[in-house]
């Protein structure tokens, strides 16, 4: 194993800046302008409020100097105006202080560095198409025919009756009246010598005439109250990681900040913990699969995300059969949207349930939350929802002992696993597989869900139920290893098609099967070899599809790119089966990629080999920040620490396997049960120390045997459902 090293310098991702807070976000240029024709804009609740926001001084562009992003919701854009008449150099500094959250507020400052007062005209070009997020993403924006922009009191008003949505753009400029016309705000100003001029612009969304309760305040505090308070509380309540490895600390700090900015607060249930959005700009909403996996990986950082996500998904759990939304009793929803409903956004304004994996992942997460000792009463309250989810698996999702998907109408997603692009599931020759499809990783999720439910039954002393769930787990495991294994090439098929044929594309899916524990131990060795082969491992992460496959394209969304959450799950699965060095290689590669991206892992990046390009190549439209990418470094550290709590059994495993040269790691204040514990791990392999464990909990520092036999009857009570050991 090579020593821990970093190559290259941190860099920015893409040519835009994203600010985010709750369901509001802004995508703009590095100078602060929002230019029409692409994805740039100010968004709230899946609606683009502003599609143009361009600042001019004396009808000339402002030259960008620097974009400073001190908080996820706050950006400072510095620029300079053209030289004054007769001057050689600019003497006007333009500062745009921008905040998002329930809309947008921008504080404009012009600072005059000259000994002479400057008279100038400052203008803001304003455009608003009120487009649905899906329209923008699909590059099929159709502005509503009835979008009107009119002058109002101290600014502009935008509204589209057909969509019942709009925005108010209010101006506060003491001493300088604003001239407002549709699409334009003009200030004729004098900036004193060695002085400054200020104005504030507030963009507030409206829906059916109402404004959001969490809108950005119109006053000019040093920091907006709600976002700043929430971020400060989040930072204070989450663990602190200290390390001799400065790059690791940088990456984990960015992960914590990004996850804090992506939290979703339900104003209808203000006392409940938040859920987590999938990512900006396209997925600032609750997504079943993404939110469940993110909150799973974030458990060492925070328990509330998991509990909030589970509760919100439980409230949205299916209760009826509806082919249009694909709702069915017990099914966990895929996506929640709020935009104006039209052909480009068929699920807008309601929940869409076209996901085959969110339902077993719900049960898995509930079991994992129990193992961390989270709010036992709240977990027990959610158990009926887990039982309803398992009932959906058996009554609606299963046939022939496996779980399948096929959309109910032509409006639904064709592919309903995490690789949900239309061509994301394919044979080795590149032929696209046609549903119905049984995905490899989904069988693993179902297997793990049954084991998680068996542990609940064990804890309740219900031996009959425990035996029943263990037997169902064993049945799907047997069927999976018999029907998905390809003995010739020596790897698991990506899935089965409707005719029962193995979909023989070599993909990352089987890494999830190591994570869930459904893979037989004798087959895991060959699977691990493929996952770390040059065809799959780029040096930075594992490709979604091997370079030897017919559909391989390193610049594709799902057919050869690298997804950090995918690779982190694979590393966890490899560590579970005892492939320590292989897991370390993936972890080191991903953390080095994060460093190259300035500390923030994007949703995905291109699958070019590290030997060809020494830096990871960005994927142009990747979400950033993105929730499960932000949580991936936390999962990687947990994997390298081989950290597994089992609070309900009074045990916690900690068997560090840090790569050579990784450095010492100390975690202070990690939540376990009702306690906060401190962990200190030496990079030289010394015995770890732990303080603050809940009373009666035993610390185990010796690794367990691989648990490939964990689902045999009678063993469920002595093993945990998803160990990394």
């Amino acid at each position: 194993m090579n020593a821990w090293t970093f190559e290259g310098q941190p860099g920015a991702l893409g040519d835009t800046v994203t600010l985010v807070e709750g369901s509001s976000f802004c995508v703009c240029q590095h100078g602060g302008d929002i230019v029409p024709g692409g994805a740039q804009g100010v968004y709230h609740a899946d609606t683009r409020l502003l599609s143009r926001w361009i600042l001019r001084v004396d009808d000339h562009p402002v030259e960008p100097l620097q974009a400073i992003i001190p908080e996820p919701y706050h950006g400072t854009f510095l620029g300079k105006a053209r030289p004054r008449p007769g001057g050689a150099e600019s003497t006007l500094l333009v500062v745009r202080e921008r905040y998002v959250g329930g809309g947008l507020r921008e504080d404009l400052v012009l600072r005059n560095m000259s000994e002479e007062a400057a008279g100038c005209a400052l203008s803001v070009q304003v455009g608003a198409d009120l487009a649905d997020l899906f329209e923008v993403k699909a590059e099929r924006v159709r502005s509503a025919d009835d979008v009107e922009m009119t002058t109002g009191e101290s600014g502009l008003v935008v509204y589209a009756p057909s969509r019942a949505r709009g925005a108010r753009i209010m101006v506060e400029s003491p001493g300088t009246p604003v001239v407002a016309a549709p699409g334009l705000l003009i200030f004729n100003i004098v900036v004193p010598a060695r002085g400054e001029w200020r104005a504030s612009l507030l963009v507030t969304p409206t829906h059916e005439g109402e404004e959001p309760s969490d809108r950005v305040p119109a006053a000019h505090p040093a920091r907006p109250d709600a976002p700043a308070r929430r971020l400060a509380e989040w930072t204070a309540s989450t663990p602190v990681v200290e390390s001799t490895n400065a790059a690791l600390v940088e990456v984990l700090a960015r992960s914590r900040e990004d996850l804090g900015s992506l939290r979703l607060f339900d104003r209808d249930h203000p006392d409940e913990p938040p859920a987590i959005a999938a990512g900006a700009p396209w997925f600032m909403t609750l997504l079943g699969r993404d939110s469940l996996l993110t909150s799973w990986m974030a458990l060492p950082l925070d328990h509330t995300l998991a509990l909030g996500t589970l509760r919100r998904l439980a409230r949205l759990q299916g209760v009826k059969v509806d082919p249009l939304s694909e709702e069915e009793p017990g099914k966990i929803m895929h996506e929640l949207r709020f935009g104006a409903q039209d052909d480009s956004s068929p699920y807008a304004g309601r929940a869409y349930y076209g996901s085959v994996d969110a339902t077993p992942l719900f049960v898995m997460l509930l079991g994992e939350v129990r193992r961390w000792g989270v709010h036992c009463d709240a977990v027990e309250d959610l158990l009926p929802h887990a039982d309803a989810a398992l009932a959906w698996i058996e009554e609606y999702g299963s046939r022939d002992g496996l779980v399948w998907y096929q959309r109910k109408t032509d409006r639904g997603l064709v592919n309903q696993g995490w690789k949900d692009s239309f061509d994301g599931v394919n044979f080795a020759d590149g032929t696209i597989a046609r549903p119905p499809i049984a995905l490899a990783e989904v069988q693993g999720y179902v297997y793990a869900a049954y084991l998680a439910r068996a542990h609940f039954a064990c804890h309740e002393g219900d031996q009959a139920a425990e035996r029943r769930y263990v037997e169902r787990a064993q049945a799907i495991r047997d069927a999976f290893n018999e029907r998905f294994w390809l003995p010739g090439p020596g790897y698991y098929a990506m899935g089965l098609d409707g005719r029962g044929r193995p979909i023989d594309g070599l993909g990352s899916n089987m890494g999830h099967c190591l994570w869930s524990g459904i893979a037989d131990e004798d087959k895991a060795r060959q699977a691990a070899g493929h996952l770390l082969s040059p065809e799959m491992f780029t040096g930075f992460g594992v490709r979604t599809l091997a370079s030897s496959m017919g559909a391989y394209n390193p610049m594709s969304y799902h057919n050869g790119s690298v997804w950090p959450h995918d690779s982190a799950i694979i590393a966890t699965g490899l560590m579970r089966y005892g492939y320590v060095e292989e897991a370390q290689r993936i972890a080191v590669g991903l953390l080095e990629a994060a460093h190259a991206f300035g500390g923030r892992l994007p949703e995905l990046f291109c699958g070019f080999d590290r030997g060809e390009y020494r830096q990871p190549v960005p994927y142009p439209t990747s979400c950033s920040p993105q929730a499960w990418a932000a949580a991936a470094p936390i999962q990687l550290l947990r994997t390298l620490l081989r950290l597994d709590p089992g609070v309900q059994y009074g045990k916690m495993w900690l068997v560090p396997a840090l790569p050579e040269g990784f450095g010492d790691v100390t975690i202070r204040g990690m939540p376990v049960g009702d306690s906060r514990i401190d962990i200190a791990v030496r990079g030289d392999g010394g015995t770890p120390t732990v303080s603050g464990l809940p009373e009666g909990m035993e610390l185990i520092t010796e690794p367990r045997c691989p648990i490939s036999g964990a689902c045999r009857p009678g063993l469920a009570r002595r093993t945990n459902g998803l160990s990394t050991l």
Side-chain angles (χ1 to χ4, degrees), residues 56 74 88 108 152 189 256 344 353 361 474 555 597 613 615 625 629 674 692:
R56 293 288 184 266
H74 171 207
L108 299 176
I189 61 179
R256 178 174 69 172
S344 69
Y353 291 78
L361 285 169
Q474 183 67 58
M555 299 182 294
F597 284 123
Y613 302 110
Q615 296 288 313
D674 295 327

Side-chain angles (χ1 to χ4, degrees), residues 390-532:
L390 292 175
W392 175 85
I393 289 172
E394 294 167 6
E395 295 175 22
Y396 294 92
S398 296
R399 68 178 177 90
D400 300 331
L402 299 171
V403 176
W404 301 72
Y405 71 81
Q406 184 174 24
R407 66 180 182 177
K408 303 300 186 291
T409 75
D410 58 3
R411 298 181 70 185
L413 289 170
V414 173
N415 284 318
Q416 298 190 352
W418 85 261
K419 297 178 183 177
D420 57 5
S421 52
F422 79 96
D423 59 350
V425 183
N426 45 73
F427 290 86
D429 64 2
T431 303
I432 297 175
R434 304 296 181 188
I437 289 173
L439 288 172
E441 70 270 24
V442 171
Q443 315 313 312
Y445 301 161
V446 174
Y447 164 79
Y450 278 129
L451 281 187
R453 186 62 183 87
H455 281 283
F456 279 105
C458 172
H459 186 75
E460 295 163 352
D462 189 342
Q463 296 184 8
E466 179 188 358
R467 187 179 305 109
R468 181 170 67 254
Y469 290 121
V470 166
E471 288 172 352
R472 290 174 183 174
Q474 183 67 58
I476 197 168
R477 179 176 182 164
D478 291 344
F480 169 78
N481 283 282
E482 177 184 351
R483 300 181 63 181
F484 282 73
W485 183 249
L486 304 174
Y491 59 81
Y492 285 104
M494 192 178 296
L496 305 179
D497 72 0
R499 295 160 60 183
R501 298 178 302 175
I503 303 168
D504 59 352
L506 174 56
S508 61
N509 307 60
M510 63 184 172
H512 292 233
C513 299
L514 301 181
W515 176 58
S516 65
I518 197 173
D520 283 343
E521 190 175 351
D522 61 334
K523 300 177 177 65
R525 177 181 58 81
Q526 295 183 68
H530 282 289
L531 290 167
L532 271 296

Side-chain angles (χ1 to χ4, degrees), residues 85-149:
E89 293 185 328
S90 173
T91 56
L92 274 182
L93 175 70
V94 181
V95 183
R96 309 172 73 171
E97 203 81 31
R98 182 173 296 170
Y99 303 88
V100 298
L104 174 141
R105 193 185 81 230
E106 179 156 314
D107 300 326
L108 299 176
V109 181
L110 266 63
R111 293 177 58 189
N112 185 3
M113 308 300 179
S114 171
E115 296 286 354
E116 187 176 16
C120 54
L122 183 147
S123 64
V124 180
Q125 301 172 19
V126 182
D129 55 13
L130 301 182
D132 184 88
L133 186 67
F134 274 86
E135 294 178 342
V136 180
K137 183 183 179 184
E139 298 181 348
R140 294 199 304 267
V141 174
R142 296 173 298 173
S143 181
D145 294 336
D146 57 348
V147 173
E148 293 183 356
M149 184 179 295

Side-chain angles (χ1 to χ4, degrees), residues 635-657:
Q635 180 66 27
L636 291 172
L637 181 58
R638 177 186 174 185
T639 297
L640 293 174
L641 294 177
R642 293 196 284 189
L643 169 66
D644 268 301
V647 172
Q648 75 270 44
Y649 298 116
K651 300 179 185 296
M652 189 177 84
W653 285 263
L654 179 65
V655 192

